[in-house]
């Protein structure tokens, strides 16, 4: 099938920013999904849940995520250059299954601090009709921005029911759960992960209105600055481009960062970020407050301030407090291209004694580096990232390989080290190393990658009953 992606509309993107998910439906015939359902039955009967290998076992599933309406939705929220992560799982809810509590998923292969900007999604696919009583996945719409279950539960639960072929694309940090199966039918749900490689430059959906205020007209303004900042980011606008909140609000907003209500704290952080340069001194002080929660909110705000905050964050990379250095690296990474002057400091931070600082600094070098002008010399940066492939902590190695993939052809000098990481003890480091080789895309890189893939290929037709 030729894939002519069906793009999202402004209204669909608005709903994703606000609610954290979007539901679409493929138009394959019922027999297509029934076949996948039967394959899953056989898998559970013969081998049990094969987890990541469910796709090579049932390659038809790939057609679901390649479908124009699914691909178009993924492009809208993750950009045109998104990838399918190697982690995938079949969630089985048996008859009488008791369901789960609401939770956020951990990041497979990467101890990543959660980001409000959507760089990861999950795709939930039903290969059969799922009704309310069958234990569908349920979400708390709009909860992707909250750390606490208490705040998340202020939003009413929504069950993601749907016909066979329904796919729900979910912000990775949305609170969700499996509900109880009270029917006489078992329920399968296939969960796949996806992530973006490129930062937004222009809208990757069918946009007809750049003005968030117009698009969001009629929507209850629960998080006005937060939502608008996400819209601006998706449009490729630099951090700080919409600053303009009166500076005389700074003192009250700073006090609100300590409010008992998480929603109030979140709104205060994003409104402080819209103040601009006048807010930097107090935010820098908050960053050094010693209070982990206030540090995180100060990091969100400083990232949104943009250019006026870069120097303060570079200074914060030099302090003795590990949590401050970590948050500073995180904020600079999230800021993107406006933090270009921080590349030398982040390059030094990529060798910090703290693995968390190293992890965030390396991510920032990828996010910022790919947006720098063509011809910029990043050889020293690539060299330091390559050292990260040999880090003792697998999540640093994971992020180093992923960052080399993001930088693409600039990472060619890392080819010998990437070859070694194809045998890393962590399966996801291996995947990112292979992805980096694909993105480098020289004849030597392609030869290395093809040789590796052919030797490690898993054959779905080979079973204990059909060994050859």
């Amino acid at each position: 099938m030729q894939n002519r992606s069906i793009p999202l509309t402004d209204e669909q993107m608005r709903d994703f920013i606000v609610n954290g998910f979007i539901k679409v439906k493929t138009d394959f015939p019922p027999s297509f999904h029934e076949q996948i359902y039967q394959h899953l039955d056989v898998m559970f009967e013969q081998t049990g849940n094969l987890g990541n290998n469910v796709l090579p076992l049932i390659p038809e599933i790939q057609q679901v995520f390649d479908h124009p309406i699914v691909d178009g939705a993924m492009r809208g929220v993750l950009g045109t250059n998104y990838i399918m992560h190697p982690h995938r799982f079949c969630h089985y809810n048996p008859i009488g299954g008791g369901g789960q509590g609401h939770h956020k998923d951990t990041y497979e292969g990467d101890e990543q601090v959660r980001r409000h900007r959507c760089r990861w999604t999950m795709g939930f696919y039903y290969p059969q009709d799922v009704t309310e009583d069958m234990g569908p996945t349920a979400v708390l719409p709009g909860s992707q921005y909250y750390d606490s279950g208490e705040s998340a539960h202020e939003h009413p639960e929504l069950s993601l029911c749907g016909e066979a072929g329904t796919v729900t694309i979910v912000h990775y940090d949305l609170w969700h759960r499996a509900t109880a199966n009270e029917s006489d039918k078992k329920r399968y749900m296939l969960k796949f992960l996806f992530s973006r490689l490129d930062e937004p430059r222009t809208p990757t959906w069918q946009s007809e209105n750049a003005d968030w205020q117009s698009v969001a007209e009629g929507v209850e303004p629960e998080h006005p600055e937060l939502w608008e900042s996400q819209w601006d980011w998706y449009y490729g606008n630099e951090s700080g481009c919409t600053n303009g909140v009166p500076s005389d609000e700074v003192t009250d907003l700073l006090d609100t960062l300590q409010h008992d209500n998480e929603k109030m704290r979140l709104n205060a952080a994003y409104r402080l970020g819209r103040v601009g340069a006048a807010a930097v001194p107090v935010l820098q002080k908050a960053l050094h407050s010693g209070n982990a929660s206030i540090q995180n909110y100060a990091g969100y705000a400083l990232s949104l301030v943009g250019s006026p905050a870069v120097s303060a964050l570079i200074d914060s990379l030099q302090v003795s407090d590990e949590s401050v250095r970590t948050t500073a690296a995180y904020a600079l990474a999230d800021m993107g291209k406006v933090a270009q002057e921080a590349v030398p400091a982040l390059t030094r931070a990529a060798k910090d004694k703290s693995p968390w600082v190293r992890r965030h600094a390396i991510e920032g070098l990828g996010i910022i580096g790919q947006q720098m002008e063509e011809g910029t010399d990043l050889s020293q940066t690539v060299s330091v990232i390559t050292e990260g492939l040999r880090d003792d902590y697998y999540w640093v190695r994971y992020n180093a390989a992923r960052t080399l993939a993001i930088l693409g052809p600039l990472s060619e000098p890392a080819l010998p080290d990437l070859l070694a990481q194809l045998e890393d003890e962590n399966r996801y480091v291996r995947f990112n190393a292979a992805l980096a080789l694909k993105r480098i895309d020289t004849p030597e890189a392609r030869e290395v990658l093809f040789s590796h893939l052919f030797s490690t290929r898993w054959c779905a037709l080979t079973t204990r009953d059909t060994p050859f």
Side-chain angles (χ1 to χ4, degrees):
M1 177 179 62
Q2 185 177 3
N3 189 336
R4 295 180 178 175
S5 297
I6 300 173
L8 297 179
T9 64
D10 284 335
E11 290 71 26
Q12 287 175 307
M13 280 300 298
R14 173 201 65 203
D15 291 347
F16 182 82
I17 288 171
V18 172
N19 296 316
F21 72 94
I22 184 169
K23 186 189 292 187
V24 295
K25 185 178 181 301
T26 61
D27 59 1
F28 294 111
S31 59
F32 174 86
H33 304 293
E34 175 63 26
Q35 183 180 30
I36 292 176
Y37 183 91
Q38 291 174 359
H39 279 312
L40 292 170
D41 269 346
V42 172
M43 177 184 77
F44 274 92
E45 289 172 5
Q46 294 187 352
T47 63
N49 198 334
L50 289 180
N52 291 353
N53 279 330
V54 69
L55 182 60
L57 178 69
I58 312 172
E60 293 86 353
I61 297 169
Q62 184 69 55
Q63 296 180 48
V64 173
F65 292 105
D66 285 343
H67 190 280
I69 197 166
V70 179
D71 180 55
M74 286 290 186
R75 287 170 179 260
V77 300
L78 290 178
T80 56
N81 199 23
Y82 70 90
I83 60 166
M84 177 186 282
H85 192 276
H87 173 70
R88 63 281 304 226
F89 196 78
C90 179
H91 286 270
Y92 169 56
N93 199 347
I95 298 169
Q100 303 171 308
H102 280 101
H103 61 279
K104 293 188 177 194
D105 281 8
T106 56
Y107 284 81
E108 294 298 336
D110 183 13
E111 297 296 323
Q112 179 174 351
V113 173
R114 303 181 186 278
R115 295 190 181 277
H116 296 156
R117 293 174 172 177
C118 185
R119 295 187 175 94
W120 288 68
T121 63
M122 296 179 285
F124 298 156
Y125 159 57
Y126 290 145
Q128 84 276 5
D129 295 348
V130 175
T131 53
E132 186 84 31
D133 61 340
M134 289 175 63
T137 299
V139 298
L140 299 175
S143 63
Q144 68 272 24
Y145 304 117
Y146 305 145
D147 293 329
S148 71
E150 180 182 358
S151 295
H153 278 89
E154 292 181 21
H155 291 248
E157 181 177 81
L158 176 68
S159 293
L160 300 177
C161 303
E163 297 177 344
T166 297
V167 176
T168 305
I169 298 169
V170 180
H171 188 299
Y172 197 86
D173 294 338
L174 191 70
W175 289 79
H176 64 282
R177 73 181 183 106
T179 58
N181 187 347
E182 299 173 344
S183 72
D184 58 357
K185 301 175 183 177
K186 57 192 172 186
R187 186 272 286 167
Y188 292 131
M189 185 274 280
L190 288 159
K191 182 188 77 176
F192 278 58
L193 271 56
F194 300 83
S195 63
R196 69 164 53 244
L197 289 179
D198 295 339
E199 292 295 287
R201 300 191 181 199
T202 58
T204 50
W205 67 94
Q206 189 63 47
S207 181
E208 298 180 356
N209 190 345
D211 179 36
W212 169 256
Q213 300 300 330
S214 298
V215 174
E217 186 176 359
V219 177
E220 187 69 27
E222 188 172 25
H223 296 298
E225 282 82 20
L226 189 161
W227 291 342
E228 186 170 9
S229 75
Q230 307 306 307
W231 180 263
D232 287 339
W233 176 69
Y234 271 120
Y235 253 84
N237 296 329
E238 295 183 356
S239 291
C241 69
T242 54
N243 290 342
V245 170
S247 59
D248 57 11
E249 294 187 28
V250 168
T251 301
D252 289 341
L253 290 172
L254 192 65
D255 290 341
T256 308
L257 286 185
Q258 304 178 60
H259 199 282
D260 290 340
N261 186 294
E262 182 179 8
K263 293 183 179 181
M264 296 285 288
R265 298 195 300 270
L266 197 57
N267 282 342
Y270 274 86
R271 193 158 179 82
L272 274 167
R274 294 282 292 277
V275 170
V280 172
V282 294
L283 287 171
Q284 188 174 23
K285 185 176 179 179
L287 182 62
H288 293 256
S289 66
N291 182 306
S293 177
I294 292 177
Q295 281 181 342
N296 286 338
Y297 288 112
Y300 292 139
L302 287 165
S303 177
L304 188 57
V305 166
S307 297
V310 173
S311 293
L313 289 169
I314 290 174
D315 290 342
S316 295
L317 286 175
Q318 317 301 319
V319 302
S320 59
D321 188 325
E322 177 186 9
S323 64
V324 173
R325 300 198 311 277
T326 300
T327 305
Y330 172 97
L332 286 166
D334 211 40
M335 197 180 290
K337 58 186 176 183
V338 299
Q340 291 186 23
E341 68 179 276
V343 167
L346 287 171
T347 301
R348 292 189 295 271
K351 302 176 75 170
D352 192 277
K353 62 183 179 182
S354 164
W356 285 104
V357 177
R358 297 198 298 273
R359 181 252 173 271
H360 290 309
I362 288 171
E363 180 181 44
L365 291 171
I367 291 174
I368 299 168
Q370 72 164 200
Q371 300 176 83
M372 295 180 73
E373 293 183 6
E374 188 174 350
T376 302
D377 183 8
L378 290 175
S379 56
Q380 182 182 359
T381 295
V382 170
S383 177
V384 170
I385 296 169
T386 304
E387 290 182 35
L389 294 174
R390 300 184 288 275
D391 201 278
D392 291 338
Y393 293 85
Y394 79 86
W395 67 82
V396 179
R397 300 197 304 275
Y398 173 100
N399 221 50
R402 175 179 167 80
T403 296
L404 291 169
I406 287 172
L407 293 176
L410 294 173
S411 300
E412 184 178 0
L415 199 151
D417 297 88
L418 289 168
L419 173 60
Q421 295 316 116
L422 292 174
E423 304 299 330
D424 192 277
E425 63 186 26
N426 182 276
R427 69 192 75 185
Y428 302 118
V429 175
R430 294 185 181 199
F431 170 79
N432 280 346
L435 177 63
L437 291 168
K438 178 177 184 293
R439 296 266 293 174
I440 290 170
D441 198 34
T442 61
E444 184 180 4
R446 288 195 294 270
E447 182 63 28
V448 167
L449 182 57
F450 287 149
S451 296
H452 171 73
L453 293 178
F454 275 108
S455 66
T456 57
R457 175 179 174 271
W458 187 77
C459 178
L461 301 180
T462 301
T463 67
R464 61 188 178 189
D465 298 321
T466 60
F468 51 83

